């Protein structure tokens, strides 16, 4: 799957919008002011910064020279804020020129300066700039770390606009890391905040992020709608660079839907914008999008030429995301051209960059960063409560001392009794109030302690998941390395079979009759050998694909689903699929669905895959028993659902061959199968067990009797 581009982040790269003529006039006016008032003071620094803002989008070299002038003057004036602003401008300008080393150097200097002066707002902005630098270099884990570090600083400074930008950045990175559950609320909140603050940059950025997320989730209508809205906002602001980016995204959505004319229409608009603005940053993305359209149109030569250009430009700028996309296109194009050596080379390049961008290690690192961020927030609240309690204790001590001093200074018998009674009542009231406060603080402390314990338990579970993920990575790595040579075995066996057939149709006819019999025998043996290689190669390919599915696990999102509808829809699909291979097979299906089952929160695609597998196994067992020719036997399948107090159940019962007790103990083991060689991989029930038990916290049980049939029960918690 192609890694989603963080489109909205690129929207923040624009440092100025508006009419070019107005910008030119403003720049001329500022040049005139700087010439007429050469006095080296803070006013001149502010004018230099204003002129840099006007020239940043049109004349980056001159803007860099002016930023260096502003930095030198600010250092001479020892103006910390102006020094930091000058450093940030140098970083932004170098980043726009894809000169990441100096950009990171200047931003780190600015951040250290703001941290020393306790300027939370500008320190947060420096963290955002460091995050954007890492995003452009396709380093999502490091980018997420900087954004999560900047968000609490912006919250402390109560900078709502900066908070919205950081949340949008975090949401876009989560999307790039395939953490869609975390990405969606972040991007939606960024959009709401941008609309509330009337910040068109944030609105445009959030729309692009939501469009990219919908594109990855294959929600095509939403993706098109968000991209069109983003294009309209960018055009309204005069931001041609981000209008180009969104045109590219819309073209890619059309390509994914197979709408080639519409894709080329938007691709042509993106290319026209790139040429008009000499936008070298977006040029590789346009070339790669057009290369993909040629590949879809069956023109691999054009696809190779454009993808090679995009790859060379991306390698010069070290943009890993574009390098990965270019390698993917080249691998597919060379495969179409049957140049398998080049296809294999670019496929390995694609795999290496894909692992760098979205590997499990990167996702686990991002999960740890998010966990540490939440843990630090909880610990900060605990510290604040402890400080409040200490202040209450000190206040109580001072009140008691005042009370004792008052009692010691009282004189007179009648007056002493009245004052003692009054002070006793006062002390009781104060103590009661303090006890109530202490009780409230203790309850809050206990709640936070419980939350901290829950977070630590979650950390323990995360470590356990990492251990299991390591085993999955090993399995996936082995399967991946087997997959490529296995593809070559299958391809070359099929090609060799075609060569034998061509030889029989051509040169074989010209052989003498005395040699034809011997040649025919050799060719028949060679054909049979190649057919066996192909048969067993495809069987091995199915096993490898099963291993990859087993190691990947589930990645879907749970959603409320009508369970009866889900069970009903997949039953005819499985039956028709089985009948397509066994046309003489018929069966009686009986169903009993509990109307109280209603909707259950689950991953419909994964549970549907489990149901199809169970139905297929039942049909296979009944087909095997039917072939025994038993008198009076007819296949029957019973499917029912039932809602209990804490769970819902799905039961699938067949009257097939059944299984003995020893086989029932092994059915959930990977690669164990009762089917003959070549008819099963032994991964279906293993995957089903992982989906129901590990993925949904349910139960999957099997009861069977030889010669009678099998009943499978799925239990899902509600």
């Amino acid at each position: 799957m192609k890694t989603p581009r963080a489109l909205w982040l690129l929207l923040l790269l624009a440092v100025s919008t508006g009419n070019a003529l107005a910008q030119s006039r403003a720049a001329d006016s500022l040049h005139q002011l700087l010439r007429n008032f050469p006095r080296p003071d803070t006013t001149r620094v502010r004018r230099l910064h204003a002129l840099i803002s006007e020239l940043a989008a049109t004349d980056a070299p001159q803007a860099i020279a002016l930023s260096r002038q502003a930095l030198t003057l600010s250092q001479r004036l020892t103006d910390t804020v102006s020094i930091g602003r000058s450093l940030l401008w140098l970083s932004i300008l170098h980043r726009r020129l894809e000169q990441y080393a100096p950009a990171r150097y200047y931003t780190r200097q600015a951040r250290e300066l703001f941290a020393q002066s306790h300027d939370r707002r500008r320190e947060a902005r420096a963290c955002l700039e460091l995050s954007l630098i890492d995003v452009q270099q396709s380093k999502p884990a490091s980018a997420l770390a900087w954004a999560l570090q900047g968000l609490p600083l912006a919250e402390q400074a109560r900078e709502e606009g900066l908070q919205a930008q950081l949340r949008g950045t975090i949401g876009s990175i989560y999307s790039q890391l395939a953490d869609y559950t975390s990405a969606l609320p972040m991007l939606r909140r960024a959009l709401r905040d941008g609309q509330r603050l009337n910040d068109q940059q944030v609105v445009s950025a959030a729309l692009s992020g939501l469009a990219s997320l919908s594109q990855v989730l294959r929600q095509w209508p939403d993706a098109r709608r968000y991209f069109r809205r983003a294009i309209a906002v960018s055009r309204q602001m005069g931001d041609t660079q981000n209008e180009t980016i969104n045109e590219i995204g819309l073209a890619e959505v059309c390509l994914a839907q197979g709408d080639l004319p519409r894709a080329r229409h938007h691709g042509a608009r993106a290319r026209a914008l790139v040429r008009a603005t000499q936008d070298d940053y977006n040029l590789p993305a346009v070339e790669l999008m057009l290369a993909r359209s040629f590949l879809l149109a069956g023109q691999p030569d054009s696809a190779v030429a454009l993808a090679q250009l995009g790859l060379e430009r991306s390698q010069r700028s070290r943009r890993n995301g574009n390098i990965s996309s270019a390698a993917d296109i080249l691998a597919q194009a060379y495969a179409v051209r049957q140049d398998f050596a080049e296809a294999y080379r670019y496929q390995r390049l694609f795999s290496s960059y894909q692992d760098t961008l979205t590997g499990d290690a990167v996702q686990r690192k991002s999960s740890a960063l998010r966990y540490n961020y939440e843990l630090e927030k909880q610990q900060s609240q605990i510290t604040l409560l402890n400080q409040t309690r200490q202040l209450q204790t000190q206040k109580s001590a001072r009140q008691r001392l005042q009370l004792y001093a008052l009692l010691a200074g009282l004189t007179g018998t009648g007056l002493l009794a009245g004052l003692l009674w009054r002070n006793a009542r006062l002390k009781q009231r104060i103590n009661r109030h303090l006890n109530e406060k202490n009780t409230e603080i203790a309850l809050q402390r206990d709640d936070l302690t419980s939350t901290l314990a829950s977070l630590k338990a979650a950390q323990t579970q995360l470590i356990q998941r990492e251990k299991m993920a390591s085993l999955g990575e090993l399995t996936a790595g082995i399967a991946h390395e087997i997959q490529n040579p296995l593809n070559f075995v299958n391809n070359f066996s099929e090609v060799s079979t075609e060569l034998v057939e061509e030889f029989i149709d051509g040169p074989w006819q010209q052989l003498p009759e005395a040699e034809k019999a011997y040649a025919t025998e050799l060719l028949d043996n060679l054909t049979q050998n190649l057919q066996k290689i192909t048969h067993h190669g495809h069987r091995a390919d199915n096993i490898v694909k099963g291993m990859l599915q087993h190691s990947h696990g589930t990645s879907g999102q749970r959603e409320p689903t009508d369970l009866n509808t889900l069970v009903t829809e997949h039953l005819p699909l499985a039956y028709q699929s089985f009948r397509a291979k066994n046309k003489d097979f018929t069966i009686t299906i009986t169903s009993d669905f509990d109307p109280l089952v209603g909707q259950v929160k689950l991953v419909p695609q994964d549970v549907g895959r489990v149901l199809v597998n169970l139905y297929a196994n039942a049909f296979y067992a009944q087909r095997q028993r039917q072939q025994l020719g038993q008198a009076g036997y007819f296949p029957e399948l019973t499917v029912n659902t039932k809602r209990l107090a804490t769970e819902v159940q799905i039961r699938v019962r067949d009257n097939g061959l059944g299984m003995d007790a020893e086989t029932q103990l092994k059915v959930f083991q990977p690669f164990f199968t009762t089917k003959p060689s070549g008819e099963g991989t032994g991964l279906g029930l293993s995957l089903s067990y992982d989906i129901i038990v590990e993925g949904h916290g349910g139960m999957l049980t099997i009861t069977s009797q030889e010669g009678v049939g099998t009943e499978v029960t799925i239990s899902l918690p509600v």
Side-chain angles (χ1 to χ4, degrees):
M1 183 180 69
K2 182 181 176 183
T3 303
R5 294 173 295 109
L7 291 175
W8 87 269
L9 291 170
L10 300 177
L11 296 168
L12 297 177
L13 299 178
V15 293
S16 62
T17 59
N19 185 275
L21 181 59
Q23 289 180 337
S24 176
R25 291 176 178 173
D28 292 340
S29 177
L30 288 167
H31 274 299
Q32 186 67 30
L33 286 172
L34 289 170
R35 284 193 297 269
N36 294 340
F37 301 95
R39 182 178 177 180
D41 54 11
T42 56
T43 301
R44 184 174 181 84
V45 174
R46 287 196 296 270
R47 288 170 178 168
L48 284 170
H49 286 158
L51 182 56
I52 293 166
S53 177
E54 296 294 332
L55 297 175
T58 57
D59 192 349
Q62 185 180 0
I64 290 175
L66 292 171
S67 298
R68 291 199 174 99
Q69 290 182 26
L71 177 60
T72 302
L73 182 56
S74 301
Q75 290 171 337
R76 191 189 312 166
L77 298 171
T78 64
D79 185 350
T80 302
V81 175
S82 297
I83 293 172
R85 288 189 63 189
S86 302
L87 290 169
L88 282 180
W89 268 118
L90 285 168
S91 172
I92 292 170
L93 293 166
H94 281 91
R95 171 169 57 83
R96 289 172 60 84
L97 295 175
E98 300 180 4
Q99 298 171 358
Y100 302 117
R104 185 174 283 103
Y105 168 78
Y106 288 124
T107 311
R108 287 183 180 274
Q109 279 194 329
R111 177 182 165 274
E112 292 173 1
L113 188 66
F114 294 138
Q116 291 173 0
S117 60
H118 303 288
D119 190 338
R120 298 286 182 264
R121 177 172 65 88
R122 292 185 173 88
E123 185 181 356
R125 190 165 294 281
C127 290
L128 173 60
E129 175 63 18
L130 286 167
S131 178
L132 293 179
I133 293 171
D134 286 330
V135 164
Q136 284 189 231
Q137 290 189 284
S138 298
K139 297 178 180 178
S142 177
L144 180 61
W146 283 118
L148 288 176
Q149 186 172 343
L151 182 56
L153 294 172
E155 291 172 345
Q156 294 173 20
R158 298 183 179 180
E159 280 289 325
E160 293 185 344
L162 188 55
Q163 291 177 39
Q165 293 180 15
L166 283 161
R167 288 192 183 98
T169 305
I170 294 169
S172 183
I173 298 172
Y174 281 158
S175 177
Q176 187 177 1
L177 292 170
D179 187 357
Y180 310 125
T181 304
S182 302
L184 187 59
M186 277 287 186
L187 290 171
R188 284 178 173 171
R189 181 171 179 181
L191 178 60
R192 289 196 305 269
D193 291 344
Q195 291 171 337
R196 178 172 55 85
L197 298 172
N198 196 25
D199 189 336
Q200 295 302 307
Q201 288 282 7
V202 174
V203 170
S204 178
L207 288 171
S208 291
L210 289 168
S212 294
L213 181 57
S214 301
Q215 178 183 359
V216 173
L217 297 177
R218 305 180 69 84
Q219 297 171 352
W220 308 123
D222 290 342
R224 287 196 180 206
R225 177 166 55 86
Y226 284 127
F227 272 128
R228 289 194 181 100
R229 289 177 61 187
I231 290 171
V233 174
S234 299
R235 191 175 297 156
Q236 182 182 359
M237 293 188 300
D239 189 351
T240 55
Q241 185 180 42
N242 291 294
E243 183 182 352
T244 303
I245 293 170
N246 289 302
E247 288 283 1
I248 295 171
L250 189 52
E252 290 180 347
V253 170
C254 295
L255 279 178
Q257 292 185 280
D259 188 354
L260 191 59
R262 180 64 58 181
R264 287 187 170 174
H265 168 72
H266 291 289
R269 293 177 63 176
R271 182 167 55 186
L273 289 170
V274 165
R275 289 175 175 174
T277 58
Q278 297 181 352
D279 185 1
D280 293 334
Y281 182 87
N282 289 315
L283 181 58
V286 175
E287 291 171 339
L288 294 178
M289 182 273 299
L290 292 174
R292 199 174 293 278
S293 71
F294 282 118
L295 184 60
L296 184 63
Q299 299 175 338
D301 294 337
S302 300
V304 167
L306 280 172
Q308 286 284 8
L309 285 176
L311 178 61
E312 292 171 3
R313 298 181 197 275
S314 302
Q315 286 175 332
R316 286 197 297 269
S317 60
R318 298 181 180 179
R319 291 174 58 193
N320 295 341
N322 283 344
I323 294 174
S324 173
S325 180
D328 182 27
I329 296 170
L330 287 168
Q332 295 183 51
Y334 278 116
V336 173
R337 291 169 57 174
Q338 295 189 349
D339 188 349
F340 297 112
E342 287 296 302
Y344 178 69
R345 182 167 72 88
Y346 283 109
Q347 179 63 31
R348 289 181 62 87
L349 177 63
F350 168 73
S351 298
S352 64
Y353 275 94
Q354 196 71 0
D355 291 341
T356 302
L357 295 174
T358 59
D360 288 344
V362 176
Q363 294 186 9
R364 289 198 300 274
K365 185 175 181 181
S366 68
S367 298
L369 288 170
R370 184 167 66 255
Y371 165 78
N372 290 333
Y373 168 70
E374 296 294 338
L375 185 61
E376 287 176 1
K377 288 181 67 175
Q378 295 291 342
Q379 289 177 339
S380 298
Q381 294 179 9
I382 293 173
T383 302
L384 180 61
L385 285 175
N386 287 334
Q387 291 175 352
T388 303
R389 185 176 182 182
Q390 290 175 0
L391 291 174
Q392 291 288 346
T393 303
Q394 293 173 1
K395 182 178 180 181
S396 176
R398 288 197 299 270
Q399 290 175 342
R400 283 196 296 270
L401 288 175
Q402 293 172 359
L403 182 60
Y404 295 152
L406 181 61
L407 290 173
L410 294 177
T411 57
T413 304
L415 182 60
L416 180 60
L419 290 176
L420 285 174
W421 178 82
R422 178 177 177 275
N423 288 330
R425 291 293 303 273
L426 179 62
K427 181 180 178 181
Q428 291 177 356
R429 197 160 48 244
I430 292 173
N431 286 337
R432 186 168 58 251
H433 180 69
L434 289 175
N435 288 334
E436 292 173 354
K437 287 294 183 181
N438 288 337
T439 302
E440 182 181 353
I441 292 172
L443 289 174
Q444 293 177 349
R445 181 197 60 202
D446 293 340
D447 290 341
L448 290 174
T449 302
S450 175
T451 302
L452 183 60
S454 299
L455 288 174
K456 289 182 178 178
Q459 184 183 36
T460 303
Q461 293 178 359
L462 181 62
I463 293 172
Q464 183 64 24
R465 289 178 184 174
E466 289 179 354
K467 292 180 181 178
M468 296 303 294
S470 299
L471 179 59
E473 289 176 357
L474 177 61
T475 304
I478 294 172
H480 178 74
E481 291 300 322
I482 294 174
Q483 184 74 51
N484 290 324
L486 186 58
N487 288 338
F488 283 101
V489 169
N490 292 335
N491 291 338
F492 282 114
S493 66
E494 293 174 358
V495 171
S496 299
T497 302
E498 294 175 359
L499 292 176
V500 170
E501 293 174 354
E502 290 178 5
F503 180 79
I504 292 174
D505 295 335
W508 181 84
Q509 303 290 342
Q510 302 173 7
L511 291 176
E513 292 297 326
E515 297 179 5
K516 278 188 178 181
Y518 179 69
T520 301
E521 181 180 359
L522 290 179
L523 291 173
D524 288 342
N525 291 334
L526 180 58
T527 301
Q528 292 176 4
N529 291 340
L530 289 173
Q531 289 174 349
K532 289 182 180 179
I533 291 173
T534 302
H535 171 74
H536 291 288
H538 285 302
R539 178 171 177 251
D541 185 59
N542 290 333
I543 293 174
V544 168
K545 290 178 180 177
M547 290 173 64
L548 289 173
Q549 288 182 348
H550 200 276
S551 64
H552 289 166
T554 180
S555 61
Q557 183 175 356
R558 294 194 190 187
E559 58 187 51
T561 304
D562 190 321
L563 189 62
N564 288 338
T565 302
L566 185 69
V567 175
T568 304
E569 287 177 347
H570 286 82
L571 182 54
L573 291 176
Y575 180 55
Q576 294 301 327
S577 176
F578 191 80
R579 286 223 354 135
K581 300 178 181 178
N582 306 275
K583 299 187 181 300
D584 61 338
F585 179 76
T586 58
I587 188 173
T588 300
I589 299 176
T590 305
S591 60
D592 181 15
F593 297 140
D594 186 352
L596 298 178
V597 167
Q599 291 194 339
V600 180
K601 196 169 185 181
L602 48 78
V603 183
Q605 299 88 347
D606 290 351
V607 176
R609 185 169 61 177
V610 172
L611 291 170
V612 170
N613 181 64
L614 296 182
Y615 296 149
N617 287 343
F619 297 151
Y620 179 86
Q622 292 170 319
R623 171 68 173 170
Q624 294 297 106
R625 183 174 177 181
Q626 186 182 50
Q627 289 179 340
L628 296 177
Q630 297 176 354
Y633 173 76
F634 188 81
E636 294 180 358
L637 183 72
T638 303
V639 182
N640 63 64
T641 62
K642 186 173 183 61
R643 183 180 183 94
L644 302 178
T646 60
E647 63 182 25
V648 293
Q649 290 185 346
I650 306 170
R651 295 180 183 271
V652 180
R653 185 171 65 252
D654 65 73
N655 61 342
L657 287 174
M659 296 179 286
D660 57 28
E662 183 179 358
T663 302
Q664 293 180 50
L665 294 175
K666 298 178 181 180
V667 292
F668 295 127
Q669 296 178 4
F671 303 105
F672 177 81
T673 179
T674 59
K675 298 178 181 178
S677 176
E679 293 190 24
T681 64
L683 289 172
L685 283 176
S686 175
L687 284 171
S688 299
Y689 185 89
D690 287 346
I691 290 170
I692 298 302
V693 178
E694 302 295 336
H696 291 79
M699 294 179 62
L700 182 63
T701 57
I702 290 182
T703 57
S704 182
Q705 184 177 353
E706 283 189 282
V708 177
T710 302
E711 183 178 66
V712 183
T713 303
I714 299 173
S715 301
L716 296 172
V718 294

